[in-house]
Amino acid sequence: QAAEKWLRDQAQAQGWAKAQKLQGRNTSQGLLGVLVRADSAAMVEVNCETDFVARNQQFVSLLQQVAASCVANSSGEAADMELSTTAISPGELGTSPSVEAGKTVGDLVALSIGQVGENISLGPAAVFRAGAGVRLAAQCHPSTGDGGAEWQWGRYAGVVAYTTPGQELEDEAEFTRQLCQHIVGMGPT
C-alpha cells in the first residue's frame, strides 16, 4: 500500500512538471460534458491540443470527473428559486475539490497531462440547481458515446430547465431531447 501511494504521488508530481512545461501550447480542441443528477446539472468544458486526445477514453473520464466534482461541490447549496445558475471560472474550477479525496480538479488535470503527454486546460463551467417542481434535461451533439441520460459529452451542449402542468407528459424524455437539439442547433441567446 505504501508503494502504491508512492507511485501515485510520483505520477502526480511528474504530471505537474509536464503541465508546467506544456502550459503555453494551444488547446483549441476539447469537449463539453453535461452531468444531470436529480435536481443538479453541471456543464463543463475541458480543452486539449488535438481531437485524437479529445476522443480518448481517459480524456472523457477526466471530463466526467470534473463534472461530477462540480455537482458534488454544489450539492449543499439550497435552491430557493425555481432555477439557480452558478458560473465557475477555469481558475476557480482548478482549485475546487475533486471527487478523488485529497485532490483538486487541477491535480486531476495535471495527472492526465502526464499520462497523455499533451496540454489540457479547463474551460468555464456552469452548475444548475432546480427548485421544487423544476426538472432538468440535457443533450450534447455530436455525442461521442452513449453515457445515458445522466452523463453526456460532445462539441455542443444544451441544458433545459422546465416544469410540467402537473401530470406526466407522454414521451417527456423524447420531447426534452428534441428541445435540447433545437437549442444546440439554433443557438438562441
Side-chain angles (χ1 to χ4, degrees):
Q1 289 177 344
E4 286 177 354
K5 182 185 180 322
W6 182 83
L7 286 171
R8 281 193 299 271
D9 291 345
Q10 289 298 310
Q12 186 68 53
Q14 289 174 2
W16 276 113
K18 191 153 208 156
Q20 292 288 47
K21 190 167 92 172
L22 300 177
Q23 82 181 54
R25 288 190 182 176
N26 187 16
T27 55
S28 60
Q29 300 296 313
L31 294 173
L32 290 172
V34 180
L35 181 66
V36 179
R37 286 197 179 141
D39 63 347
S40 298
M43 182 187 300
V44 299
E45 177 183 340
V46 179
N47 298 306
C48 57
E49 293 179 44
T50 64
D51 63 338
F52 298 108
V53 168
R55 292 187 300 233
N56 181 319
Q57 184 54 44
Q58 183 174 351
F59 184 82
V60 172
S61 177
L62 170 66
L63 186 66
Q64 186 173 17
Q65 287 178 310
V66 173
S69 298
C70 288
V71 169
N73 293 336
S74 74
S75 64
E77 301 170 11
D80 295 333
M81 301 178 289
E82 282 188 341
L83 179 70
S84 66
T85 305
T86 305
I88 304 171
S89 71
E92 291 173 316
L93 188 56
T95 59
S96 66
S98 74
V99 288
E100 271 190 48
K103 293 191 179 200
T104 65
V105 170
D107 291 336
L108 296 179
V109 171
L111 188 58
S112 293
I113 289 171
Q115 292 170 341
V116 300
E118 166 171 316
N119 194 16
I120 297 173
S121 64
L122 294 168
V127 177
F128 307 93
R129 298 267 304 155
V134 178
R135 298 178 186 171
L136 296 170
Q139 177 71 27
C140 290
H141 177 78
S143 183
T144 55
D146 183 23
E150 182 180 271
W151 166 242
Q152 299 179 42
W153 64 96
R155 295 282 296 154
Y156 304 96
V159 175
V160 172
Y162 65 97
T163 59
T164 59
Q167 73 272 10
E168 288 293 316
L169 293 176
E170 188 176 321
D171 290 334
E172 183 175 331
E174 178 64 16
F175 174 75
T176 57
R177 184 186 67 77
Q178 289 176 356
L179 185 59
C180 287
Q181 282 179 334
H182 284 287
I183 291 169
V184 168
M186 302 305 288
T189 56

